Amino acid sequence: QDKNGNIILEMRSGFFKFWTFPFFKNGVEVAKIQKKWSGGLTELFTDKDNFLVDFGTSNLPNETKLLILASSIFVDLQYFEAKAD
């Protein structure tokens, strides 16, 4: 939300696309974050993750692009990092 409480973007992930996080503005997909497969051994034995941030063909302001980029870090920490407890 912006400072006035208006929704800037909405992010959601489908049940069968749990490695893809699209961003919607007014119901239209404008960007997405995808976790990329790193290979079996890398996925099993390391905590290394690769993400693709795709802004598509939308002309988003730089502030919105920075928000999406920061969201990719949040997605990594929230969904893909091992929890201590």
Side-chain angles (χ1 to χ4, degrees):
Q1 295 180 344
D2 64 9
K3 63 182 177 181
N4 299 323
N6 300 316
I7 295 176
I8 299 171
L9 296 171
E10 180 182 350
M11 179 182 77
R12 57 181 171 227
S13 181
F15 183 73
F16 293 108
K17 292 185 176 185
F18 50 85
W19 282 16
T20 303
F21 301 86
F23 289 83
F24 297 90
K25 184 171 187 166
N26 300 325
V28 177
E29 184 177 319
V30 294
K32 67 182 165 187
I33 299 169
Q34 291 180 299
K35 182 179 183 296
K36 304 307 279 182
W37 177 251
S38 299
L41 293 175
T42 302
E43 293 286 338
L44 281 174
F45 296 111
T46 69
D47 199 22
K48 176 184 160 191
D49 294 319
N50 294 313
F51 289 89
L52 170 70
V53 179
D54 182 10
F55 296 112
T57 59
S58 60
N59 293 327
L60 297 172
N62 287 337
E63 293 83 13
T64 305
K65 289 180 180 179
L66 287 172
L67 180 64
I68 294 169
L69 186 60
S71 297
S72 68
I73 296 169
F74 172 77
V75 165
D76 181 35
L77 293 174
Q78 186 69 29
Y79 296 105
F80 299 106
E81 290 299 316
K83 304 288 189 246
D85 42 36

